[in-house]
Amino acid sequence: TAMFVGRSMAPRLLIDRIEFDIKAHRDARGAVQLPIDETPDIPAMLQYVSGTAKVFFKGDGDSTASVSPEDLCTLGEQTEARCPVANMMMASGCAMDIDWIDGGNVK
């Protein structure tokens, strides 16, 4: 999804790769509640997902070596809005907090 969003932006953001460092929290009671033949009172779902998406851009074509913070923000917002997995998680009630960062500017 991010590749599509980046290619569709103006200027185009050509993505080489994305490295994710993601952590999730769930209420484990929904998964381990006994007795096993009864449906748990608490849903076994993720409640909160957070972390970083470190984006590395290609250095050729219409892509620039340095991506503006505004373009990086648009990339993250539009990727999350269009990604079926992110949409499924958010529709389930899971809160997401992903920081999109330019991997080329990380030291």
Side-chain angles (χ1 to χ4, degrees):
T1 305
M3 302 280 266
F4 168 76
V5 170
R7 281 194 317 263
S8 300
M9 291 175 64
R12 292 178 67 177
L13 302 181
L14 301 178
I15 298 170
D16 181 45
R17 70 183 189 281
I18 303 175
E19 295 177 0
F20 293 94
D21 182 16
I22 304 293
K23 294 181 181 20
H25 172 75
R26 71 175 181 152
D27 186 339
R29 295 177 296 173
V32 299
Q33 182 176 332
L34 297 176
I36 202 68
D37 60 341
E38 293 181 14
T39 302
D41 299 326
I42 299 167
M45 62 178 239
L46 294 176
Q47 295 177 320
Y48 185 75
V49 174
S50 63
T52 59
K54 191 184 306 182
V55 186
F56 294 87
F57 297 95
K58 294 181 180 178
D60 55 6
D62 324 15
S63 179
T64 60
S66 180
V67 175
S68 75
E70 295 81 13
D71 285 343
L72 192 57
C73 183
T74 298
L75 175 67
E77 287 175 354
Q78 291 304 313
T79 297
E80 289 177 21
R82 297 162 188 267
C83 174
V85 174
N87 274 264
M88 181 177 58
M89 290 172 53
M90 289 184 283
S92 78
C94 178
M96 291 183 45
D97 181 21
I98 308 300
D99 291 324
W100 290 74
I101 59 175
D102 184 345
N105 289 331
V106 175
K107 294 178 174 121

